[in-house]
Amino acid sequence: MLSSIPPQKLKEIIGIEKAVGKEEEIIELQKEKDTNSLLVEVEKSINGDKDAKLGVIDLLFGSHFFASPLLFTDAQVDNGAVKSRFHVSIDLDREVAKTGALVELEAVEPGSKFIGKMIYNSIDTGNSSQIDRAFEILKSTLNKTEIFIGGWRSRGYGLCEFSIINSKKYTPIDLISEKK
């Protein structure tokens, strides 16, 4: 999604030109013994410095040494059912059914609903950072978007629609207080 956007357009939208950092540069950063130099690199990347080694995807989803500020909770069934289904296994070399190879899988019934949370940890400095803008783009892109998840997609399984039901912003004080 973000990695397919041309660098100039990414710079216009978010303020960071690089989508993903180069693997070898990130590995070199990981070897750094000085935490301050790592923090300087993260700050350069967040501020959209042209020589920064991390891209917006590294900053949003994490990299080898930088934890993701984005968390996804496990989705729980809200309305629906999971049932067993059986399929004949396919011999991929000959593209025919394998003799005596029955495969059992668990599948969610069509129309089932799951509820989960997407949590973005942002330090509110009073200004919106490039990563905050990238998160907002991710959120708006996922809302009402159909994607395939899980296995057996070629057999028609896994089509899901993401919907954002509620969006809340909490301060650290809100999170530790009982009032929500």
Side-chain angles (χ1 to χ4, degrees), residues 37-60:
S37 62
L38 293 176
L39 292 173
V40 167
E41 186 57 46
V42 169
E43 188 176 341
K44 280 173 40 180
S45 299
I46 288 173
N47 292 329
D49 187 306
K50 192 173 183 166
D51 297 325
K53 294 184 173 94
L54 299 173
V56 67
I57 293 175
D58 300 316
L59 295 170
L60 191 56

Side-chain angles (χ1 to χ4, degrees), residues 75-88:
Q76 304 296 320
V77 177
D78 183 47
N79 178 15
V82 177
K83 295 189 176 178
S84 289
R85 299 248 173 118
F86 297 91
H87 287 279
V88 174

Side-chain angles (χ1 to χ4, degrees), residues 92-151:
L92 297 176
D93 294 330
R94 298 182 310 140
E95 296 182 359
V96 296
K98 285 184 183 176
T99 307
L102 193 61
V103 176
E104 180 182 7
L105 61 103
E106 289 185 327
V108 176
E109 287 296 306
S112 296
K113 293 187 178 182
F114 290 78
I115 293 185
K117 293 180 182 174
M118 182 169 57
I119 302 165
Y120 173 65
N121 296 303
S122 174
I123 298 173
D124 187 2
T125 60
N127 298 324
S128 178
S129 76
Q130 284 86 344
I131 304 309
D132 294 338
R133 288 194 289 281
F135 173 69
E136 290 303 320
I137 290 169
L138 174 68
K139 204 166 69 168
S140 66
T141 302
L142 284 177
N143 194 32
K144 303 294 184 195
T145 297
E146 289 184 341
I147 64 168
F148 282 94
I149 59 172

